[in-house]
Amino acid sequence: MNRKDSIEKLKNILESYDFRFANYQEIPQFVFDQIPCIRLIKYKKKQVDIDYKRYVWLKKNLSKKVKKVCEIGSNIGYFSSSLAKDYSFFVQAYEPNNLYAKVSKIISNLTKLDNRLKIYNEGINLQNIKKLDSHDLTINLNVLHHAGCSYDVALFKDNMKWEDYVISYLKKLSTKSNYLFFQTGNMMKGKAIFPSIKVIDIFKNIFDKSGWKINNIGVINNLDTLDYVSYLEKDIPKIKLYNCKRDKMNNKVAYYYDKKFVSHLTTGLAQRPLWFCQKVNKR
């Protein structure tokens, strides 16, 4: 496919595609810089606009030992393509949605990242973690709260608890990666898996049980700037999260701080902490 046809195919997908997880990621700035005409594509992101903020936080936490990266649930490839471009890392990205994977491959080809960014149109469930290559860093952003709904449904029919599933999943990932960049939501099928306000304590326990040491936690304290503030594990008692709930009047998410209303955002993504963890090496 020539360059003109690739751009036209990218335009057709991004402008016509619409389903539950559509328009969750932004297109990286370097793509617009290299291919200015892509700015004309009518692609409007529906999620809270913090991909760049999350990426900045990730870069601050990257170990110099990272050379190989795996992203599970890569969407249209904001993080995987940005890392391949900025650091010349070798990146393997797994995305089960066919059109998202196509968008990622087109962008990778147009920006000449094909030699170090490999995109696979498949998901990684609990059983096929074992097929992954070993990597220095695994990225898993807002995937695991879909377990039991979008994938690994059969396991939950056998009454597996979500927290036990996550511990098993992350424990298996620790056999494949030294570092983990992680974020998750708390809703499954419209119901809360756990109270979002308790996510820090819940995941501290999950990481302890799954073989990961918390190096840093990123939290948004200001909804105007949407910048992440970093906290060490010892600083957990100092962390104060927003409380969120869906406002039925406008279908947006209302953010509260100390029980006082602060703002409405399209989703609760800005309340979810970022985690950068390191595998605990067994002696």
Side-chain angles (χ1 to χ4, degrees):
M1 188 185 308
N2 62 40
R3 184 180 178 84
K4 182 179 178 181
D5 289 343
S6 293
I7 293 172
E8 184 64 25
K9 186 171 184 178
L10 185 66
K11 178 179 184 294
N12 291 338
I13 295 173
L14 290 177
E15 290 188 348
S16 64
Y17 191 44
D18 187 29
F19 87 129
R20 180 183 172 193
F21 303 120
N23 300 28
Y24 258 44
Q25 276 190 359
E26 59 194 84
I27 297 170
Q29 180 61 43
F30 79 87
V31 178
F32 296 122
D33 293 341
Q34 291 187 28
I35 317 160
C37 64
I38 288 181
R39 295 182 187 277
L40 301 176
I41 294 177
K42 297 175 183 178
Y43 173 79
K44 186 176 180 181
K45 189 179 171 190
K46 297 178 182 177
Q47 185 53 274
V48 179
D49 193 14
I50 54 176
D51 287 336
Y52 176 72
K53 302 285 188 176
R54 291 190 291 175
Y55 184 57
V56 167
W57 189 84
L58 169 62
K59 290 198 293 183
K60 289 178 180 177
N61 286 278
L62 277 178
S63 166
K64 293 181 180 179
K65 297 178 181 179
V66 172
K67 302 295 180 187
K68 294 177 64 179
V69 178
C70 173
E71 183 171 17
I72 297 171
S74 55
N75 202 271
I76 64 171
Y78 183 92
F79 294 94
S80 51
S81 62
S82 295
L83 288 171
K85 190 262 181 186
D86 290 347
Y87 293 91
S88 299
F89 291 161
F90 177 72
V91 183
Q92 291 180 306
Y94 292 85
E95 173 50 53
N97 183 273
N98 181 47
L99 290 181
Y100 277 175
K102 284 183 179 179
V103 168
S104 299
K105 289 178 180 179
I106 292 171
I107 289 175
S108 175
N109 179 262
L110 287 171
T111 55
K112 296 180 171 55
L113 293 175
D114 284 352
N115 63 328
R116 55 181 181 273
L117 174 57
K118 303 301 177 186
I119 299 147
Y120 303 92
N121 181 205
E122 58 184 294
I124 301 296
N125 62 23
L126 187 63
Q127 294 305 312
N128 61 16
I129 290 174
K130 60 187 177 184
K131 67 176 264 185
L132 293 174
D133 293 335
S134 293
H135 295 85
D136 302 308
L137 169 68
T138 294
I139 300 173
N140 189 295
L141 301 177
N142 301 298
V143 174
L144 288 187
H145 63 288
H146 297 299
C149 179
S150 300
Y151 65 97
D152 275 342
V153 176
L155 292 178
F156 287 80
K157 287 181 179 178
D158 293 333
N159 296 318
M160 174 175 272
K161 294 180 179 179
W162 183 82
E163 188 169 324
D164 291 338
Y165 174 90
V166 174
I167 290 170
S168 297
Y169 195 100
L170 295 179
K171 188 177 289 186
K172 287 192 174 185
L173 275 187
S174 72
T175 67
K176 295 294 184 177
S177 184
N178 294 319
Y179 296 94
L180 174 68
F181 178 43
F182 183 81
Q183 187 178 42
T184 189
N186 73 315
M187 301 295 291
M188 181 198 294
K189 298 180 181 178
K191 295 182 179 180
I193 308 167
F194 57 85
S196 62
I197 199 70
K198 295 183 178 180
V199 63
I200 298 289
D201 291 336
I202 289 170
F203 267 87
K204 180 183 183 305
N205 178 59
I206 285 174
F207 289 128
D208 285 345
K209 290 183 176 179
S210 57
W212 293 95
K213 173 185 175 292
I214 299 168
N215 283 0
N216 231 328
I217 305 167
V219 174
I220 291 176
N221 290 333
N222 186 326
L223 295 181
D224 292 325
T225 65
L226 296 175
D227 291 324
Y228 284 92
V229 177
S230 293
Y231 295 88
L232 299 175
E233 185 173 359
K234 67 181 179 64
D235 297 323
I236 283 178
K238 300 178 184 177
I239 298 175
K240 198 164 186 179
L241 297 175
Y242 289 98
N243 201 3
C244 296
K245 67 177 182 178
R246 181 71 62 178
D247 189 332
K248 295 181 180 179
M249 297 295 292
N250 57 22
N251 201 35
K252 291 187 176 181
V253 173
Y255 283 71
Y256 296 86
Y257 206 74
D258 284 335
K259 298 183 180 180
K260 294 179 181 179
F261 173 77
V262 178
S263 182
H264 280 113
L265 294 177
T266 52
T267 73
L269 183 60
Q271 191 268 356
R272 302 173 187 174
L274 296 174
W275 305 83
F276 195 85
C277 302
Q278 184 173 357
K279 178 173 66 175
V280 176
N281 292 315
K282 297 180 180 178
R283 294 180 179 178

